[in-house]
Amino acid sequence: MNSSGMDSKAQAFFFRSGGREIFAQLSEPQGAAQLREGLIICSPLPHEVKKTHWTMRQIAQRAQQAGFTTLRFDYFGSGDSEGPSSAFDLLSAQENIADAISFLKNSGLVRRITLLALRLSCPLALEVLKHERIKRLILIDPILDGAQYLAQLKALHGQFVRGNPFEAPFAAEEERTRQLLGFPFDLLLDLQLRSILPSVSEIKAKSLQIIQSAGMPSLESWAHSLGSQSQTEVHLRVVSDLLHWDRVEALSIQDFPNELINAAVEAVRGQV
């Protein structure tokens, strides 16, 4: 529990997804603040969880204070969920997102759901919402080109190896058990990442808010295309926080990007 008491009704539990146990934390608002609105927060790839953990926690706590029931969870093969880290893959992560939505829909706690996704969870959420209907989707610094992202991860790994020649997590000789930045990274995950491409398709959400930090390639054209070719209301907001996703040392720092967090909470509350 934190000093503000915002986690006073947080429950740690497991829900089933693909026959596996997925660790989650559910936080309900206090008393009259309850809006019957739910917020699900989807983590980025494990390489970026440490950097974004504080941000996700702050968004969850502020949303809870605003009357939202919040759900955070660890993907299969990550955090406290079932499975070794070598078992993490994007298809099971996508299934976990879909099952988190189903769990909250069937919980009886909420009437409407907002889904907030960071980085690599964004294309997974977009895929899930071709079939699952929610009220609102929020994407933060989405990864839309998997091959480009993979190249960035390899460049970051190279930075780490050069900067830590005696401690670096070198890739194993056997290609199938190699790693990037200290996390297992096999051929399946490699192929899954390469299959992610920028696309425009219908999603089952009333509104989509895209939040982009400073220094990232512009998403204006993609957002415009998505808005013009779907029934979803699309908004793009650029904040001044500079998160340095392309610097290896930044991955080990728990950022507190105030403007981005404020923008995310405003988007959750529908304040575009």
Side-chain angles (χ1 to χ4, degrees):
M1 181 186 301
N2 67 69
S3 60
S4 69
M6 287 307 303
D7 287 336
S8 60
K9 293 190 68 177
Q11 303 175 48
F13 69 102
F14 291 88
F15 68 86
R16 301 285 289 177
S17 178
R20 299 151 171 169
E21 295 290 329
I22 302 302
F23 177 78
Q25 288 183 301
L26 183 74
S27 299
E28 297 179 57
Q30 303 290 326
Q34 171 65 269
L35 296 175
R36 303 281 289 174
E37 295 263 0
L39 170 66
I40 299 173
I41 298 178
C42 303
S43 301
L45 195 71
H47 303 77
E48 296 173 342
V49 167
K50 183 175 182 180
K51 178 179 177 66
T52 58
H53 175 76
W54 184 253
T55 297
M56 293 187 292
R57 181 180 174 187
Q58 288 299 307
I59 293 171
Q61 289 180 356
R62 295 188 193 183
Q64 180 191 2
Q65 186 177 33
F68 285 75
T69 296
T70 66
L71 177 69
R72 291 184 288 157
F73 64 94
D74 295 334
Y75 296 119
F76 172 71
S78 72
D80 292 315
S81 288
E82 183 181 347
S85 56
S86 58
F88 175 84
D89 77 275
L90 299 190
L91 286 181
S92 65
Q94 184 174 304
E95 183 177 32
N96 297 160
I97 294 173
D99 289 333
I101 294 173
S102 295
F103 170 83
L104 199 54
K105 280 183 175 179
N106 296 326
S107 68
L109 296 172
V110 304
R111 291 193 297 264
R112 294 168 294 274
I113 291 175
T114 292
L115 187 72
L116 184 147
L118 293 86
R119 302 287 282 162
L120 191 61
S121 62
C122 295
L124 306 184
L126 287 168
E127 192 65 30
V128 168
L129 294 186
K130 291 180 181 179
H131 312 286
E132 293 280 352
R133 187 175 300 279
I134 64 170
K135 179 181 180 180
R136 186 182 297 114
L137 174 63
I138 302 164
L139 305 179
I140 298 179
D141 278 349
I143 301 298
L144 301 178
D145 187 324
Q148 189 177 74
Y149 181 57
L150 179 58
Q152 183 186 67
L153 287 178
K154 290 181 176 180
L156 290 171
H157 184 83
Q159 288 180 30
F160 189 75
V161 169
R162 290 190 296 274
N164 303 271
F166 301 107
E167 301 177 20
F170 293 98
E173 291 184 6
E174 172 55 49
E175 184 73 3
R176 293 182 181 277
T177 58
R178 64 195 177 110
Q179 56 177 300
L180 281 176
L181 298 166
F183 292 90
F185 201 95
D186 63 11
L187 289 177
L188 173 61
L189 190 52
D190 187 298
L191 291 171
Q192 289 176 336
L193 267 177
R194 293 181 189 277
S195 70
I196 295 174
L197 298 169
S199 62
V200 175
S201 58
E202 183 72 35
I203 59 172
K204 294 185 176 182
K206 290 184 177 179
S207 69
L208 166 60
Q209 177 80 44
I210 305 164
I211 301 173
Q212 186 174 21
S213 62
M216 299 295 291
S218 175
L219 296 174
E220 187 172 352
S221 177
W222 177 72
H224 176 75
S225 297
L226 188 60
S228 62
Q229 298 184 38
S230 72
Q231 301 297 315
T232 301
E233 182 181 344
V234 180
H235 301 274
L236 173 64
R237 179 171 177 178
V238 179
V239 297
S240 62
D241 294 307
L242 193 60
L243 299 184
H244 301 295
W245 297 108
D246 58 348
R247 295 186 184 178
V248 69
E249 65 272 13
L251 294 181
S252 61
I253 298 172
Q254 291 199 37
D255 283 315
F256 190 86
N258 281 300
E259 188 180 354
L260 186 147
I261 291 171
N262 291 336
V265 174
E266 289 169 5
V268 169
R269 300 181 69 178
Q271 300 170 338
V272 179

